[in-house]
Amino acid sequence: MAKRVFTFKRGSAERPADASEALGLKGANLATLASLDLPVPPGFTVSTLGWRQSMTAHGEVSQSLRSEILSAVEWLEQTTGRVFDGKTRPLLLALRVGARAPMPGLADTILDIGLNDRTVETFSTELGDPAFAFRSYRRFIESFALLVYGADPGEFEDIADDERDRAGWGGAEPATVPQWRALIARDLAFLEEELGHAFPQTPFEQLIAVVEAAFSSWRGPVARAFRVLHGISENAGLAVTAHAMIFNERGEKSGTGRAFSRDMATGRSLLTGEFELRGRDDAREIGERGTMLDLSVGDDTRFPGDLAALSTYVRRIEAHFGDACEVDFMVGDGALFLLQSRPARRGIAEAIRVAVDMVREGLIDEEEALLRIDPASLDQMLHPTIERAENLDILARGLPASPGAASGEIVFSAERALELAGEGRPSILVRTETLPDDIHGMHVTEGVLTVRGGTTSHAAVVARGIGKPCVTGASALRINLDAQTLTAAGRVLRAGDRLTIDGATGDIIAGACKLTTPSLSGDFATLMEFADRARRMAVRTNAETPAEARAARAFGAEGIGLCRTEHMFFEGGRVGAMREMILAGSEEGRRAALARLLPMQRSDFVELFEIMAGMPVTIRLLDPPLHEFLPKGEGEVAETALALGIPEKVLAERIETLQEFNPMLGHRGCRLAISYPEIVETQARAIFEAAIEAGERKGKDVVPEIMVPLVGLRKELDFLKARIVEVAELVQAERRRRVSYHVGTMIELPRAIIRADTIAEVADFFSFGTNDLTQTVYGISRDDAANFMSTYERHGIIDRDPFQSIDVEGVGELISIGVEKARRARPDITLGICGEQGGDPASISFFEQVGLDYVSCSPFRVPIARVAAAQAAIRFSRGSRGSGKARARG
Ligand code: PEP
Ligand code: MG
């Protein structure tokens, strides 16, 4: 039988091979800390294998697992010199639950397992602190009843209220031992009489019951929803870790803290964090607030443990993991214990600063620094800041807890934030303090403001993790939930009023402020240089407007991979000419409308070419699903008829004939240009004339790339390419200048993949249009997919929406085939991708493997794509070095 229970104590730990899989994050981390000879409480972890076997036995711990746990308890008794149910020095345990990834909804930590009617008396005598002993026992009974029997916490409050009145103890809790005994006797009677369960008085039975209930918490609704959302397998499972209790809540020399190995604001190596003296979980409830110490002050006269030792331990952990870390610790009667370490949770700006600093300090190399960065979270760097020149109406100041500024309507609940998000209205979530239940609201709100909490509070940690601006500890504010108001310095704001927070300064400002996007210099720029050195694929952008093109260049785009020309006509003044062209009943009518479109196109292209300054610019011929441009509703039809100078009835008939059952698979793409070659002629002319003009102005040749959409047949491309070449000859003759240009096609139909070799013979480049390719491979309309894709994800039928992240097995397999055929027919062909998946890190990793030359994505995803492409190249070269794999490309 494989081992399922693993013990640890300072200096030694039993470890299975795949520790974080088998022991969960917490268990594996404690084992590591123990092996590093750091002061951890001794204990043991029941592995995910134990969980799996128990779940197949309806959640029951088997006899053999019971004996393994019993042996571990006996080992723990010897190690601690304490005994479960002992007549002196009773052993008490804390039990923590951990999965391979942090997950909400699992059972909370259970403390003081081992207390019963007998040991509470012994414990009380041992400590000389009856109130502490009985309070602990009552808390254990209550948390046991909640976890194991699903009791309601309100019941215990009622019992206490009732007993207070009966026994007349007046204060928050009993004043004498007999009063405590009487209260606890009522709790136990309640369990037996109302819930039908006698509270187990045998510590080992308590432990087994807690383990079984903790195992079952995996199946709770919150944990399950989280797994679906994050694609975690139902079978991954959890582990439970039991360790000797640390009495961090008792006496002057006790407390709980969290330490960081670095100053997370500057990246400097320095012990920082907070310590709450005599911190109690229920401190607020019993009316005694702990005192916060700032660890960076280094005040070891007030810190009850050994601060220098803590600093050494934290540094040792950072050196071991090679990453800035945060460490949860406790001090119990002056003795320091570490409970868990993890990579320091920080905003992306800090992560970049630390990674770049570590390269400067010679601790890691550029590749390692790149691999430390979650590319998706670079998004947060593009957060706006407040324009400081304004006269700001600053209401109050809190702690700067997560960078970025945000404005929105005040909401006091996560639910309201969700409602507003549904209506597209930005909000600021204002709470006294956030709870795990608020997470869904934090995801959709613009920013989070809390009255309580420090920079390591739940709100701060979560906000930094998800990149939301956050201000905490704004103690000058008062929230009145009944009245739905927020009061600051005598000013009253209501739900729905606008508020701005600045997570970098802690400012809380009345009203909405003007926000600007920061410049991407300093460490960010350095990291991008690392990425540019490491990556193989180029990163281009999908852009049509000058503003998009400029933004993309600022983000480091190396050209335009897709200019959707139809998008250049969405604007007010232009849509008329476009409609006129589409609705024209004859070639002359179309040519007249096109003549009006030509100068607009030409000047747009000149501008794009100039902004891109010699970088490749791929311009796609018109590919509009026509319905997007047709006037809708009577009003618009009447207006258009007037503008076109034709009777409304005639126009209505024309619109009728243009209606398609499925416009996305209808008269669009190259089919349109084949039906109406005057379109391709006009567009090609605009492109060539613009290339000459921009080239002359800049004194540098522009080499446009003309891209034909939705090709399935080689002859479609032949037909259109011939027209493009004709126009090129004409324009060159007229202007007496030569223009170099490329003609290529989008590959977005399965037939184009199958015939990629023959199509490649006449194409200078391919760009995989993975939006349409996914649509046509799946036979799922891209505009209707959202309605059921989330259901598919929920049921685990797909891991991720294939319209967002490439379906490697299906669509990806076809792309590999297309790449292989294209390169065989034309080794020098340029291959890229310009569908939505071009900005998705997982997809980028796949595009690296098949050997594409570039990815093209929306401007704001360019930095993400640069880092993702670098990571993909690093991982690919490391993997292929190991396995001898070669990229598809020769
Ligand atoms: C595609 O189909 O992937 C593509 C980029 O083109 P569009 O989204 O414009 O159809
Ligand atoms: Mg397409």
Side-chain angles (χ1 to χ4, degrees):
M1 172 64 73
K3 192 171 167 61
R4 290 160 295 182
V5 181
F6 299 82
T7 60
F8 56 85
K9 64 174 188 180
R10 182 172 190 170
S12 69
E14 298 176 328
R15 283 174 78 92
D18 49 350
S20 54
E21 192 92 47
L23 305 181
L25 277 185
K26 282 182 193 153
N29 179 258
L30 266 172
T32 304
L33 299 187
S35 312
L36 292 173
D37 198 21
L38 296 170
V40 295
F44 58 86
T45 298
V46 184
S47 73
T48 48
L49 177 64
W51 169 83
R52 214 162 285 124
Q53 290 173 346
S54 302
M55 291 321 269
T56 51
H58 309 290
E60 243 173 66
V61 167
S62 65
Q63 273 309 324
S64 65
L65 184 54
R66 280 175 82 100
S67 341
E68 240 187 286
I69 295 174
L70 186 61
S71 306
V73 170
E74 285 163 4
W75 171 85
L76 200 51
E77 287 176 334
Q78 275 165 18
T79 305
T80 56
R82 292 177 166 272
V83 178
F84 240 2
D85 215 5
K87 296 211 167 47
T88 57
R89 293 173 51 78
L91 173 66
L92 303 184
L93 299 182
L95 187 127
R96 294 168 197 275
V97 180
R100 194 187 168 185
M103 189 181 299
L106 301 183
D108 288 335
T109 299
I110 298 282
L111 303 176
D112 299 307
I113 299 169
L115 280 178
N116 58 22
D117 291 348
R118 296 177 299 279
T119 51
V120 69
E121 305 285 349
T122 322
F123 187 48
S124 163
T125 318
E126 181 189 340
L127 296 179
D129 188 350
F132 182 79
F134 282 95
R135 191 187 300 130
S136 301
Y137 184 31
R138 183 163 198 259
R139 182 183 60 185
F140 171 48
I141 294 168
E142 184 177 333
S143 49
F144 184 95
L146 301 190
L147 176 68
V148 180
Y149 307 142
D152 172 359
E155 306 277 12
F156 291 90
E157 284 168 29
D158 291 348
I159 294 171
D161 287 344
D162 206 48
E163 185 59 18
R164 179 184 302 114
D165 293 344
R166 195 196 61 80
W169 21 270
E173 57 179 30
T176 65
V177 170
Q179 284 172 353
W180 271 112
R181 287 191 189 120
L183 174 60
I184 288 170
R186 284 199 55 181
D187 289 334
L188 297 181
F190 163 74
L191 295 193
E192 198 157 351
E193 287 155 21
E194 302 291 326
L195 303 182
H197 298 284
F199 177 74
Q201 290 286 333
T202 315
F204 189 69
E205 292 312 320
Q206 294 172 349
L207 176 63
I208 295 297
V210 168
V211 168
E212 286 177 343
F215 277 173
S216 297
S217 69
W218 178 260
R219 302 241 162 115
V222 175
R224 187 171 281 183
F226 183 86
R227 288 195 293 277
V228 169
L229 206 63
H230 291 84
I232 300 170
S233 157
E234 276 298 303
N235 203 31
L238 55 78
V240 294
T241 299
H243 63 75
M245 274 297 295
I246 303 158
F247 300 107
N248 59 304
E249 297 174 356
R250 205 190 137 255
E252 294 292 309
K253 298 173 78 181
S254 303
T256 302
R258 179 171 293 169
F260 292 78
S261 61
R262 297 207 165 224
D263 176 347
M264 299 312 290
T266 64
R268 204 153 53 93
S269 180
L270 176 77
L271 182 75
T272 58
E274 290 167 340
F275 178 76
E276 190 167 359
L277 270 165
R278 276 165 48 78
R280 289 188 53 102
D281 288 349
D282 53 353
R284 228 154 298 128
E285 197 178 297
I286 62 165
E288 86 181 31
R289 287 288 293 162
T291 311
M292 279 291 187
L293 293 186
D294 179 350
L295 295 178
S296 62
V297 175
D299 184 355
D300 52 7
T301 55
R302 296 186 63 208
F303 185 71
D306 185 343
L307 197 57
L310 176 65
S311 175
T312 312
Y313 298 150
V314 169
R315 244 179 287 127
R316 202 186 298 167
I317 296 170
E318 179 181 286
H320 175 79
F321 290 105
D323 195 4
C325 63
E326 64 182 65
V327 179
D328 294 339
F329 67 93
M330 287 181 175
V331 179
D333 205 17
L336 174 64
F337 291 96
L338 309 188
L339 280 172
Q340 197 181 358
S341 80
R342 54 183 93 74
R345 290 181 217 161
R346 56 201 163 210
I348 183 68
E350 285 85 353
I352 293 174
R353 191 176 302 134
V354 170
V356 169
D357 272 355
M358 287 182 125
V359 173
R360 285 197 195 109
E361 291 166 26
L363 293 171
I364 56 174
D365 63 13
E366 289 183 11
E367 289 194 350
E368 195 52 48
L370 282 163
L371 293 176
R372 293 266 168 94
I373 302 299
D374 168 18
S377 58
L378 289 170
D379 223 13
Q380 301 163 29
M381 291 295 286
L382 319 172
H383 277 321
T385 50
I386 296 172
E387 279 191 11
R388 286 279 147 188
E390 289 178 76
N391 265 342
L392 300 178
D393 181 5
I394 297 183
L395 283 175
R397 183 163 286 168
L399 301 171
S402 178
S407 289
E409 293 178 43
I410 294 174
V411 294
F412 293 109
S413 69
E415 283 63 38
R416 185 67 188 141
L418 283 165
E419 279 168 24
L420 288 198
E423 296 167 22
R425 286 156 64 187
S427 67
I428 301 290
L429 178 60
V430 183
R431 304 282 283 150
T432 301
E433 61 203 325
T434 63
L435 303 167
D437 283 351
D438 289 323
I439 288 183
H440 55 299
M442 294 179 71
H443 274 279
V444 299
T445 191
E446 299 303 304
V448 181
L449 169 61
T450 68
V451 174
R452 291 213 196 117
T455 52
T456 53
S457 67
H458 176 265
V461 167
V462 172
R464 279 203 294 277
I466 60 177
K468 292 281 158 153
C470 177
V471 173
T472 57
S475 48
L477 303 183
R478 287 286 165 272
I479 295 175
N480 183 333
L481 284 182
D482 293 334
Q484 291 279 291
T485 56
L486 177 69
T487 312
R491 300 258 304 271
V492 179
L493 281 80
R494 291 170 204 293
D497 286 352
R498 300 213 179 259
L499 190 73
T500 300
I501 58 166
D502 186 340
T505 60
D507 287 344
I508 300 151
I509 302 149
C513 296
K514 213 163 160 199
L515 306 177
T516 47
T517 308
S519 85
L520 302 170
S521 53
D523 292 327
F524 181 89
T526 308
L527 183 85
M528 288 298 148
E529 285 168 23
F530 295 172
D532 295 347
R533 276 196 279 276
R535 72 191 154 90
R536 181 192 59 82
M537 286 192 291
V539 176
R540 298 193 193 177
T541 191
N542 294 357
E544 290 86 43
T545 65
E548 285 169 340
R550 274 193 207 98
R553 274 220 60 184
F555 293 145
E558 298 164 290
I560 292 180
L562 174 63
C563 167
R564 291 174 163 109
T565 49
E566 61 278 7
H567 287 194
M568 300 167 121
F569 297 104
F570 279 150
E571 281 165 37
R574 296 174 163 204
V575 76
M578 184 71 175
R579 279 184 179 157
E580 195 181 326
M581 192 277 289
I582 290 172
L583 292 164
S586 65
E587 189 181 324
E588 292 77 59
R590 236 175 344 265
R591 284 201 184 273
L594 283 163
R596 291 213 289 132
L597 288 172
L598 178 81
M600 300 178 199
Q601 285 260 277
R602 188 174 45 219
S603 65
D604 284 347
F605 295 149
V606 168
E607 207 169 348
L608 287 186
F609 289 142
E610 287 185 354
I611 294 168
M612 283 296 149
M615 292 177 173
V617 175
T618 308
I619 297 169
R620 182 177 71 183
L621 299 181
L622 278 181
D623 176 18
L626 293 182
H627 67 291
E628 285 181 14
F629 286 94
L630 296 179
K632 292 169 198 73
E634 276 178 27
E636 241 183 57
V637 173
E639 248 173 55
T640 313
L642 199 65
L644 296 179
I646 50 171
E648 203 178 317
K649 190 162 163 286
V650 175
L651 179 63
E653 279 166 14
R654 180 83 189 122
I655 293 173
E656 183 64 30
T657 60
L658 287 172
Q659 292 298 342
E660 294 178 295
F661 281 107
N662 190 343
M664 286 304 270
L665 294 175
H667 202 183
R668 64 176 276 229
C670 66
R671 301 157 198 167
L672 203 62
I674 290 169
S675 303
Y676 309 122
E678 52 278 13
I679 296 179
V680 54
E681 286 164 21
T682 307
Q683 286 205 289
R685 175 172 284 277
I687 294 168
F688 292 128
E689 290 180 355
I692 291 173
E693 204 175 311
E696 278 169 357
R697 272 206 227 163
K698 290 270 165 182
K700 199 166 157 201
D701 281 352
V702 171
V703 183
E705 298 180 352
I706 301 178
M707 181 152 77
V708 181
L710 221 67
V711 161
L713 301 151
R714 146 119 182 224
K715 284 188 179 164
E716 290 171 328
L717 186 56
D718 285 339
F719 181 96
L720 292 173
K721 190 173 173 182
R723 300 292 174 285
I724 294 167
V725 172
E726 260 171 43
V727 175
E729 298 301 325
L730 262 175
V731 173
Q732 292 179 104
E734 286 165 19
R735 302 282 171 121
R736 295 170 203 278
R737 271 195 71 129
R738 305 251 7 118
V739 208
S740 302
Y741 62 95
H742 301 300
V743 178
T745 179
M746 294 197 68
I747 299 291
E748 40 192 352
L749 296 174
R751 192 178 196 286
I753 303 254
I754 302 298
R755 304 299 293 160
D757 40 3
T758 42
I759 296 173
E761 285 166 10
V762 284
D764 299 318
F765 63 87
F766 279 177
S767 180
F768 289 92
T770 45
N771 302 334
D772 276 308
L773 189 58
T774 303
Q775 164 168 265
T776 50
V777 168
Y778 270 82
I780 289 177
S781 149
R782 56 196 266 192
D783 298 314
D784 300 313
N787 296 337
F788 51 89
M789 275 301 164
S790 56
T791 310
Y792 270 38
E793 282 182 71
R794 205 165 55 243
H795 291 305
I797 295 171
I798 54 166
D799 285 338
R800 282 192 67 192
D801 181 345
F803 288 98
Q804 282 163 23
S805 190
I806 202 82
D807 155 38
V808 171
E809 293 168 356
V811 178
E813 181 68 21
L814 280 174
I815 292 175
S816 307
I817 295 170
V819 167
E820 208 258 323
K821 282 177 174 265
R823 288 241 154 87
R824 210 170 343 114
R826 186 172 190 150
D828 67 342
I829 193 168
T830 302
L831 300 177
I833 134 96
C834 62
E836 275 309 297
Q837 300 88 338
D840 167 62
S843 310
I844 290 172
S845 159
F846 172 76
F847 301 138
E848 171 69 26
Q849 284 172 39
V850 292
L852 296 191
D853 297 303
Y854 69 84
V855 296
S856 188
C857 57
S858 61
F860 273 78
R861 297 198 75 82
V862 167
I864 297 172
R866 287 163 78 191
V867 171
Q871 292 184 341
I874 294 166
R875 292 202 176 104
F876 186 84
S877 74
R878 289 183 180 179
S880 59
R881 237 181 274 140
S883 67
K885 254 194 304 176
R887 205 175 264 121
R889 185 176 196 183

